[in-house]
Amino acid sequence: MRDVVEIGLGKTAQRGYHLDDIAIVPSRRTRDVDDVSTAWQLDAYQFKIPCVAHPSDATMSPASAAKLSELGGLGVLNVEGLWTRYEDPSRVLGELTALGDDDPATRRLQEVYAEPIRPELIAERVRQMRAGGGTVAARVSPQHTLALAPVVLDAGVDILVIQGTLVSAEHVSTTDEPLNLKEFIADLDLPVVVGGCTDYKTALHLMRTGAAGVIVGIGADEWSTTDSVLGIRVPMATAIADAAAARRDYLDETGGRYVHLIADGDLQTSGDIAKALGCGADAVMLGEPLSLCDEAPAAGAWWHSVASHPKLPRGAFGVADEPLGTMEQLLFGPADSPDGQQNLFGGLRRAMAKCGYRDLKEFQRVGLVLDR
């Protein structure tokens, strides 16, 4: 039964847990690390590692998205970002990377993202990603899906990601035509990933739209200000576990349709990735960790896509850090520091081996303990 706390007369709150609040409990068996598989599959697309890129311009260019796909993950390009607003965004990216602590970074982000989106550049960026090989995925926001999705689909993407801070299956509006996710997805012949969501009920409703994957979380990290701006903070361990319960119930409801959960938020190290998967996620969405690779287009700077919102930005600008190595080194090692920021999926493999599990589906059954 869910732990409910009375916070005052007539008001209760459910207790939730962050990934830092839990730890993995090894079982009676261990396994050789070479016998462990981190393979993951979304619809017909197979991946070597359960890694989806957070679609920030700080980390994802057509080249870096293709590189992540080459390494076995899923690169996702934001088609509302700089790459579809500027023919060559390298100058803008260089200017943003050079911003210091005292510079008005948010105002500058708002200025550079005020440039209109050019549909012809969407097609060109998708073509560049296709030429790089691998699976091609693009992100649109819910409010711009009806306008931009036809352009994205005509360009020939493999996977469409509809992502906002929070996405519901039933958006009510008296001023604009709302996006009906169920009708929209039903008309498509490619897998759609939607999110984020934070609770059981929303996750279940998003699954009922026909989505192939649901993003759990709002991408929160140390740079996120969604808590201070909107009062919304997501305890990721609880959010993932609740969404996993919704997935189980939806599986029974449909007689076997499985929807993949992608955890987005509170993920910095290989240990965080292992705990998110142990809570029930099928894959993780990495943002800031990928900003620290040599291939990141912003050379170590980091910002969320909502950090440039023209009226209500939610996310600080992360001042550029020195890269920690190539993308391959961050994902697969070798690591030259003991903090878990390199060899992210090598660390996951070893965690699975220490606990005796051979694949990701088995690892979702790992024991957990509260230790804080």
Side-chain angles (χ1 to χ4, degrees):
M1 185 176 178
R2 176 61 59 81
D3 188 5
V4 177
V5 180
E6 185 179 273
I7 60 174
L9 292 176
K11 197 68 174 180
T12 60
Q14 296 181 343
R15 189 184 299 276
Y17 299 96
H18 295 270
L19 294 177
D20 279 348
D21 296 323
I22 65 170
I24 291 170
V25 179
S27 66
R28 63 180 177 84
R29 179 187 294 114
T30 57
R31 190 178 296 273
D32 192 290
V33 70
D34 292 330
D35 294 333
V36 171
S37 170
T38 58
W40 172 60
Q41 182 169 336
L42 178 67
D43 200 74
Y45 300 99
Q46 298 181 349
F47 305 97
K48 182 179 178 181
I49 52 176
C51 176
V52 180
H54 189 95
S56 168
D57 289 326
T59 58
M60 285 292 106
S61 66
S64 64
K67 181 64 176 179
L68 181 57
S69 291
E70 176 189 325
L71 293 172
L74 176 61
V76 183
L77 187 73
N78 181 15
V79 298
E80 299 174 28
L82 298 176
W83 294 93
T84 59
R85 298 173 190 265
Y86 296 88
E87 188 76 41
D88 180 9
S90 57
R91 181 190 62 80
V92 175
L93 286 165
E95 179 187 341
L96 293 174
T97 302
L99 291 175
D101 291 329
D102 299 327
D103 292 319
T106 297
R107 188 182 312 142
R108 187 58 186 140
L109 283 173
Q110 291 172 321
E111 290 170 352
V112 299
Y113 281 90
E115 187 76 13
I117 296 170
R118 296 164 55 183
E120 70 275 12
L121 284 180
I122 294 178
E124 174 62 17
R125 302 314 181 199
V126 171
R127 186 196 65 77
Q128 291 172 352
M129 294 168 67
R130 178 71 64 195
T135 306
V136 177
R139 174 261 180 187
V140 292
S141 63
Q143 58 267 39
H144 294 137
T145 295
L146 294 177
L148 294 180
V151 181
V152 176
L153 297 173
D154 287 345
V157 298
D158 298 314
I159 297 173
L160 180 66
V161 179
I162 302 174
Q163 183 182 21
T165 302
L166 291 168
V167 174
S168 68
E170 183 181 359
H171 179 68
V172 180
S173 175
T174 58
T175 58
D176 298 311
E177 180 186 1
L179 171 64
N180 187 316
L181 273 175
K182 188 171 186 178
E183 292 181 359
F184 179 80
I185 293 174
D187 290 336
L188 302 180
D189 59 358
L190 82 169
V192 179
V193 176
V194 298
C197 72
T198 64
D199 65 308
Y200 169 94
K201 185 177 294 186
T202 306
L204 183 59
H205 284 187
L206 290 176
M207 292 172 190
R208 288 171 175 165
T209 66
V214 170
I215 300 169
V216 182
I218 58 175
D221 55 25
E222 63 177 314
W223 303 103
S224 174
T225 62
T226 301
D227 183 9
S228 58
V229 175
L230 301 180
I232 297 172
R233 184 170 64 247
V234 181
M236 281 299 294
T238 298
I240 297 168
D242 283 354
R247 178 183 59 202
R248 178 199 62 215
D249 291 347
Y250 181 70
L251 193 69
D252 292 340
E253 177 184 303
T254 58
R257 185 173 187 272
Y258 188 91
V259 178
H260 296 268
L261 300 180
I262 302 169
D264 181 24
D266 209 13
L267 299 162
Q268 297 294 327
T269 66
S270 53
D272 295 334
I273 294 172
K275 288 189 282 187
L277 297 173
C279 287
D282 296 284
V284 294
M285 182 170 271
L286 297 184
E288 187 185 5
L290 291 179
S291 73
L292 299 176
C293 71
D294 293 336
E295 292 87 346
W302 166 248
W303 63 91
H304 292 270
S305 55
V306 291
S308 61
H309 194 283
K311 295 183 179 179
L312 195 68
R314 298 179 302 281
F317 179 87
V319 178
D321 291 325
E322 287 295 322
L324 296 178
T326 65
M327 186 183 293
E328 184 172 8
Q329 185 177 359
L330 262 66
L331 298 180
F332 302 115
D336 54 25
S337 67
D339 57 9
Q341 290 186 287
Q342 297 171 312
N343 199 3
L344 293 171
F345 291 92
L348 170 62
R349 285 171 59 90
R350 195 161 294 274
M352 294 169 64
K354 294 291 186 185
C355 297
Y357 295 96
R358 61 185 176 183
D359 59 40
L360 296 175
K361 293 306 301 176
E362 284 191 357
F363 188 60
Q364 290 176 341
R365 302 197 302 265
V366 71
L368 302 172
V369 63
L370 284 170
D371 65 345
R372 295 189 181 180

